[in-house]
Every structure is written in structure tokens, then in C-alpha cells.
Amino acid sequence: MSLPINNIIANSRKAMSPLATRDTSFIFNEWYVAAFGNEVTRELLSRKLLGKRVVLYRSEAGKAIALEDRCAHRSYPLSRGHLEGDTLVCGYHGFRYDTQGNLINVPSQRSCPRGIGVREYPVLEQGSLLWIWMGDPELANSRRPPELPWTETRSWECSSGYFHHPGNYVSMHENLMDLTHLTFLHAATIGTPDYASAPYELDLKEGHYKLMRNVVPTTLSPVWAKTTGLDGCSTAARIATSEFLSPGLHQVSVTFYDSAIAPLDRKEFHICTAHILTPETHSTMHYFIVHGRDFAQDDEAVGEFMHEQLFAAFNEDVEGLGALEDVLGDVDDHSYEISVASDAPAVAMRRHLKKRADDEANETLNRNA
């Protein structure tokens, strides 16, 4: 059923919309994933995060370091330099920086200017993920990144991957918030014809938006049917929960079982997927994915098959939302979008992102006034 006419979103993709769009300011006072931990080594890694250039590396003691990727002298990218011990040497004129970003040596003169350097960004490692704080450094210690306990327990087997996504993070959150699209965008991989019309429930709390869909009975797509042993079962259950946890994190968790078997007698299979969204620019994104299962942990063939099938589906999202991004780039004052009932959590999420972005921008203006 469509929402009332006053819920039609006119010009919703324009900058003046009450909802977040591709043009909405980034939310800097939040933890985002900068990289998988194993990407950060003694080799300098350049990455643009929330429109800012960052260089990542590890100290000799193994600590992850994140600095502004721009020499204070003539703006040369520090990522094109090299390390000498824990000192980062600019590849242009040899200016040298310590792990806090302080300038400690200027080769062309004996004395080094004091109080000069580049910004150091707080980082925090949790499991396989390296989180970064791009906002007010004084606020970093008062908040923690969202926790993903299933990624750090032996009772779950996980795999991971990365896409450089040619689309904006708001649209990807919206894509994940309503998995109706599984029936259509993922018809060849993880979708089934009955998924879009299955009943669902909403749980909308400020900053935490959840949609729970019950597809019962159903026939599972091969990636789940073959790995759970429910292949050919026409009474399977697929209970999926989509959750917006933060501007940088969305989690999908699913339970599978045979609904024809009594609850006390049936075996349940659980999967979780962390969709980790870090804006690069307003129209591109770093898309990190961690997927876990609590069954067939020691079966490498199951893990390889599941990873192959799932990442084929995730690539469909990347290609599909890349095409969407092309259309959004042409939106004008005559463009509009409508929302239907299943969009409620996505609309709430976009309102939340817009409010947070506006509040943060206003705080910055007041602080600098």
C-alpha cells in the first residue's frame, strides 16, 4: 500500500531535501572503517575517506598510524614518500614526520619549525577491521565503534571482501534497508520470487532502524539450500533482519530452517553480513564486507561456494547502484521520487543522516563564529 500523498518525496535527491542525499554533508564525528587490518603494513597505503586524503601504515611496533596525506610544505602526498624507522619522509623535499604527524626535520636548514605538522587521525582495531575517526578528536574517546561480536568468536566462520563502489553511501544504506530488491536485482543469485511480497515488521528507533522479513514457507536459493542441506525443501523458512547501526555500518542477519519440523526438533542455521560503508567522495564509496556463518565451519568447500555466490550477488549491488548513481547525477528541479510502506525505515534513516549532518555543520559554524 502506498504512503499518504504527503509522504511523497519531492526533489528528495536535491541538496535542500529534508532527507539525506548524495550531496548531504558527511558526518565526521563517527567511526568508519579505513581498511581491513591486514591491508595496513609497513608499506604506505593511500586512501581517500570522507573526501579527505589519508596515509595509513604501521609503526615498527605494529601500531596502525593514520595521517593526513599532504606534506605541510608544498602539499605533496606523503604516501609517495617512504619510512625510515617510524619516521615518514616526504618524497618531494624530504620533510620528515613522526607518528603523531609532527614535523621533526627540514633537510635544507638546521632548525625545524615548531608546532608544524599534519593531522593525525585516531584509529582503533577491532577484529579484522581498522576503524578511523575523522571528526573532532576530542570526541573520539567518548564513543566506540559498533561491535560485531560474531566476527571475533570461534563458533562463527567468516570471510571478507572489498569493492570500490561507484555510488554514494546513502543509496547503499537504502538498498540494504529494504531487501525487496532481492527478488529483482538478485534474481540470478540470492533472490526468490516470493521474497518481495513476504510480510515484514518494523522497529524504528532513533539512530537504529530495523526491518524483519519472514519468508515462510519458501524454497531457498542455491547458496543457502546447498550449504544448509535444505536443497529441494519447499517448506524452508528464511527470517531476515536488516539493521542500520551507524552511518558506516549496516548488518543483515538471517535464520534458515525447515518450517515443517517442530521448533524443538529442527536445526537452525544462522548467517550474518556486515556491510561496511565508508564514503570516499559524495559519489563513490569504500565497501567492506564481512560475512559469517555458524554452521559447516570446518568445511572449506562450503565456505568457498558461499563466498563465490555471495560476492557475485554483492557485485550485482555494486553494478546496479553504479547505474543508479549515473541517473542521480542528472537529477534536476523537476525530478521526484515516491516512497511506499516498505521504505519507512529507509526514509527514517535518511532523515537521521540529514539531521546529524546539519547539526554537525551548525556546531562547526558556531564554534568558528
Side-chain angles (χ1 to χ4, degrees), residues 20-32:
T21 71
R22 70 200 294 266
D23 302 312
T24 299
S25 300
F26 293 132
I27 299 167
F28 289 96
N29 290 327
E30 186 60 72
W31 288 99
Y32 296 88

Side-chain angles (χ1 to χ4, degrees), residues 150 157-160 224 271-273 289-293 306 310:
W150 54 269
E157 184 66 26
C158 297
S159 67
S160 59
W224 311 127
I271 60 107
C272 279
T273 307
I289 301 168
V290 180
H291 175 77
R293 67 184 189 276
M306 188 176 292
L310 286 178

Side-chain angles (χ1 to χ4, degrees), residues 82-348:
H82 67 276
L83 292 174
E84 292 183 4
D86 282 348
T87 300
L88 177 51
V89 183
C90 179
Y92 195 11
H93 299 102
F95 282 51
R96 301 163 72 88
Y97 298 86
D98 66 17
T99 55
Q100 287 77 50
N102 300 307
L103 180 64
I104 58 175
N105 179 257
V106 177
S108 60
Q109 61 188 50
R110 290 186 179 181
S111 61
C112 178
R114 295 187 178 183
I116 302 296
V118 298
R119 180 172 177 181
E120 177 194 13
Y121 294 101
V123 294
L124 185 62
E125 291 197 66
Q126 286 187 174
S128 64
L129 302 173
L130 178 67
W131 297 83
I132 190 169
W133 182 273
M134 307 287 292
D136 184 345
E138 295 184 1
L139 299 178
N141 291 332
S142 65
R143 306 180 191 176
R144 300 279 297 181
E147 294 187 356
L148 296 167
W150 54 269
T151 66
E152 301 180 53
T153 176
R154 293 183 178 180
S155 58
W156 283 69
E157 184 66 26
C158 297
S159 67
S160 59
Y162 167 86
F163 292 96
H164 182 257
H165 175 56
N168 72 84
Y169 88 113
V170 177
S171 291
M172 182 57 85
H173 269 304
E174 196 164 46
N175 169 72
L176 294 165
M177 200 72 258
D178 180 8
L179 298 183
T180 297
H181 75 274
L182 264 63
T183 293
F184 306 99
L185 188 61
H186 301 301
T189 53
I190 59 176
T192 53
D194 55 354
Y195 197 95
S197 59
Y200 60 85
E201 300 174 12
L202 304 179
D203 182 7
L204 309 182
K205 297 181 176 66
E206 182 62 29
H208 185 189
Y209 309 104
K210 184 187 298 187
L211 186 149
M212 298 149 285
R213 193 180 296 268
N214 300 314
V215 194
V216 186
T218 189
T219 299
L220 300 178
S221 50
V223 63
W224 311 127
K226 292 182 179 180
T227 55
T228 61
L230 295 173
D231 201 6
C233 177
S234 62
T235 54
R238 184 178 185 177
I239 314 299
T241 300
S242 304
E243 294 181 86
F244 171 92
L245 299 178
S246 83
L249 179 63
H250 185 102
Q251 179 174 275
V252 175
S253 52
V254 188
T255 299
F256 305 100
Y257 56 83
D258 185 348
S259 64
I261 299 176
L264 293 178
D265 298 326
R266 69 191 180 209
K267 183 177 181 179
E268 294 189 352
F269 307 86
H270 304 93
I271 60 107
C272 279
T273 307
H275 298 270
I276 304 160
L277 319 182
T278 303
E280 179 186 50
T281 68
H282 286 284
S283 59
T284 59
M285 183 187 78
H286 301 288
Y287 185 15
F288 304 91
I289 301 168
V290 180
H291 175 77
R293 67 184 189 276
D294 70 350
F295 57 94
Q297 292 97 327
D298 299 323
D299 192 325
E300 292 185 10
V302 165
E304 291 174 0
F305 175 74
M306 188 176 292
H307 184 88
E308 177 185 346
Q309 293 289 306
L310 286 178
F311 278 80
F314 300 148
N315 189 61
E316 291 170 336
D317 286 312
V318 171
E319 292 183 349
L321 270 72
L324 173 63
E325 193 68 32
D326 289 341
V327 175
L328 295 180
D330 295 330
V331 164
D332 58 29
D333 291 336
H334 300 289
S335 302
Y336 69 93
E337 294 178 339
I338 64 167
S339 292
V340 294
S342 62
D343 293 311
V347 169

Side-chain angles (χ1 to χ4, degrees), residues 36-114:
F36 288 116
N38 60 13
E39 292 183 275
V40 182
T41 67
R42 293 285 292 166
E43 297 294 323
L44 300 175
L45 173 64
S46 174
R47 189 154 278 173
K48 183 179 283 189
L49 308 169
L50 281 70
K52 298 181 181 295
R53 296 179 181 273
V54 177
V55 57
L56 301 158
Y57 63 97
R58 289 192 184 274
S59 69
E60 289 187 314
K63 179 183 177 183
I65 307 296
L67 301 178
E68 178 184 4
D69 191 12
R70 184 187 69 84
C71 182
H73 177 226
R74 285 295 181 267
S75 300
Y76 195 73
L78 292 175
S79 56
R80 292 179 65 89
H82 67 276
L83 292 174
E84 292 183 4
D86 282 348
T87 300
L88 177 51
V89 183
C90 179
Y92 195 11
H93 299 102
F95 282 51
R96 301 163 72 88
Y97 298 86
D98 66 17
T99 55
Q100 287 77 50
N102 300 307
L103 180 64
I104 58 175
N105 179 257
V106 177
S108 60
Q109 61 188 50
R110 290 186 179 181
S111 61
C112 178
R114 295 187 178 183

